[in-house]
Amino acid sequence: MDQHPDLWTGRRAAYLRGILVTYQVLPERDELAARIERHLTRTVKRHPEHALLLSPYVRWSLLPRARRADPRPAGRRHRIRWAYTRINTYTRLKFPL
């Protein structure tokens, strides 16, 4: 599942991954970081001209900020939406490299 994240998306994949983690078939991982990284990968595929700046920005700025916030489920959804918005805004504005 982790080697081919493009094939495993959505609620069914999350449910299956949860079962496999529960039975220790797969290791636990930071789901927040995994979702943001998947969104980054999809965005870079659509806008390869931004990969040079967008990838380090997400890894060194957005991910640490998202991990620092409170652990409540509602807060987690907010952090994911916040990171998606930052990534999408960057690509929409199309800053010159």
Side-chain angles (χ1 to χ4, degrees):
M1 279 182 93
D2 291 339
Q3 281 87 19
H4 303 286
D6 294 339
L7 300 175
W8 297 94
T9 59
R11 289 184 180 160
R12 290 180 186 156
Y15 176 75
L16 178 60
R17 186 171 210 304
I19 290 173
L20 294 173
V21 167
T22 300
Y23 288 103
Q24 299 176 351
V25 175
L26 290 176
E28 289 189 35
R29 69 175 181 187
D30 182 4
E31 290 299 320
L32 172 65
R35 286 182 68 181
I36 292 172
E37 293 267 347
R38 280 195 308 267
H39 185 67
L40 172 65
T41 303
R42 287 190 307 266
T43 303
V44 167
K45 282 182 183 178
R46 284 190 313 244
H47 304 282
E49 67 275 11
H50 297 300
L52 186 63
L53 290 177
L54 192 57
S55 296
Y57 171 69
V58 169
R59 284 186 179 81
W60 295 103
S61 182
L62 289 184
L63 283 175
R65 283 191 223 168
R67 288 180 184 136
R68 274 194 300 254
D70 74 64
R72 293 178 296 175
R76 191 171 199 80
R77 284 190 305 273
H78 171 73
R79 290 191 308 272
I80 291 169
R81 276 195 309 264
W82 172 78
Y84 283 12
T85 302
R86 298 286 294 242
I87 292 168
N88 294 337
T89 300
Y90 177 87
T91 56
R92 193 171 45 251
L93 293 176
K94 297 184 181 180
F95 292 113
L97 297 178

